[in-house]
Amino acid sequence: LDLDLEFQRMFAFENIDLIQINQGLEPSIICVDGFLTENDTGSDWLINMPDDLKKHSIYYLKWESQSFLKMVQEIFFPSIEKLFRKIVGPLVIKDVLKVWSTATSNAEKAGKSLAGLLHNQEKDFILFGHSLGSRVISYCLENLNKTHKCNIVDVFLLGGAVGNDYSLWSNKNEIVGGCIYNFLSKKDRVLQILYKIGEASKLELNSPVGRDPISIEFIQDIDVSQIINGHTVYHDKFCDLYLEYLSHKQKIK
């Protein structure tokens, strides 16, 4: 992507890397992972992506979430999904608060940087975010909103580790030309426990969009509890989620 050098200095672009993983049609798709995803090439997105989406140009956004994954693995090894079925002790909570603070801070920086990249483009984009990747996207939209430039066609939040506060989402229709689709699952135990612990440390009592609806008219909440039984299965179930999205679009016409 072409960037104006002076504009680059306004944003912290050094903390993100936008990698093209597929050439194709516009609008371009940008995929953003969160924590618990050991993937620095975007291959999990591309391998599992429906053929309809593979027709597009696809980019993968690398940001500072991998260090969070490694810390979480050290704390919760061997399986975070299994561990969260047990009691989480005080020492674990202390570690969670430390890594959560780092990860959410990095997500805010990455979101600002992504906004800077997209603001400078003439082309349109579709955004996909999983877990804390949805948080990156929310910060991206917040910063794009200040520029009053609308080049986001649609947004897909998958198991989003970001709050469902009305104030956070109420003005996002001003920057998203199409729709925001929020895929949530009541079976996501990681968001149920990890998110609550991390946000409570900042005195934030909101619910994650990956478990509870945003409930704003221009945002489409899609409950996929029947498909998603954990936080880390969204990539594997991409085609099933896409069929659910198509079915949902047909119903609301």
Side-chain angles (χ1 to χ4, degrees), residues 50-237:
D51 290 339
D52 282 356
L53 297 180
K54 287 182 180 178
K55 297 175 184 177
H56 293 262
S57 292
I58 304 171
Y59 294 85
Y60 178 67
L61 183 76
K62 284 184 63 176
W63 63 286
E64 292 295 327
S65 62
Q66 297 305 307
S67 57
F68 181 79
L69 168 67
K70 292 173 183 176
M71 286 187 283
V72 169
Q73 286 177 331
E74 290 175 3
I75 297 168
F76 297 117
F77 184 85
S79 172
I80 190 170
E81 299 273 11
K82 292 179 180 177
L83 180 76
F84 278 149
R85 299 190 184 104
K86 303 177 182 179
I87 297 174
V88 180
L91 292 178
V92 172
I93 292 176
K94 180 181 178 181
D95 289 331
V96 167
L97 297 182
K98 178 181 177 181
V99 295
W100 183 261
S101 175
T102 300
T104 53
S105 175
N106 287 343
E108 182 173 3
K109 295 174 184 176
K112 179 180 179 182
S113 294
L114 180 58
L117 287 171
L118 301 188
H119 168 78
N120 205 43
Q121 307 304 316
E122 295 302 323
K123 60 175 66 177
D124 292 332
F125 296 90
I126 298 171
L127 306 182
F128 281 85
H130 172 238
S131 190
L132 268 182
S134 296
R135 200 181 192 103
V136 172
I137 288 175
S138 74
Y139 282 120
C140 171
L141 297 178
E142 180 180 323
N143 282 277
L144 278 177
N145 217 25
K146 299 173 184 176
T147 69
H148 303 291
K149 180 178 180 180
C150 180
N151 57 355
I152 307 300
V153 178
D154 287 316
V155 172
F156 295 83
L157 310 175
L158 312 179
V162 58
N164 65 347
D165 314 55
Y166 177 85
S167 59
L168 181 63
W169 299 99
S170 59
N171 63 348
K172 295 302 185 284
N173 62 326
E174 298 175 12
I175 192 60
V176 179
C179 188
I180 297 175
Y181 297 94
N182 177 42
F183 291 80
L184 59 102
S185 173
K186 293 294 185 181
K187 297 178 182 177
D188 192 329
R189 297 279 289 166
V190 172
L191 285 182
Q192 182 183 18
I193 299 175
L194 177 61
Y195 180 89
K196 290 291 188 179
I197 294 173
E199 292 296 282
S201 69
K202 301 185 296 182
L203 302 180
E204 296 286 349
L205 302 178
N206 54 66
S207 297
V209 301
R211 273 187 62 88
D212 294 296
I214 301 173
S215 299
I216 294 179
E217 183 179 356
F218 59 86
I219 295 178
Q220 298 296 319
D221 295 300
I222 305 177
D223 191 328
V224 290
S225 300
Q226 76 280 8
I227 300 173
I228 301 297
N229 61 3
H231 189 67
T232 58
V233 300
Y234 276 90
H235 293 93
D236 294 339
K237 299 290 186 178

Side-chain angles (χ1 to χ4, degrees), residues 26-41:
E26 302 301 328
S28 295
I29 293 173
I30 296 178
C31 301
V32 191
D33 274 323
F35 57 82
L36 309 186
T37 306
E38 194 164 18
N39 177 22
D40 59 2
T41 64

Side-chain angles (χ1 to χ4, degrees), residues 5-34:
L5 291 178
E6 184 177 351
F7 191 81
Q8 285 192 58
R9 299 190 187 102
M10 298 170 59
F11 293 87
F13 292 118
E14 67 273 8
N15 67 333
I16 67 171
D17 190 7
L18 199 58
I19 305 168
Q20 186 166 17
I21 58 176
N22 193 65
Q23 292 185 345
L25 305 173
E26 302 301 328
S28 295
I29 293 173
I30 296 178
C31 301
V32 191
D33 274 323

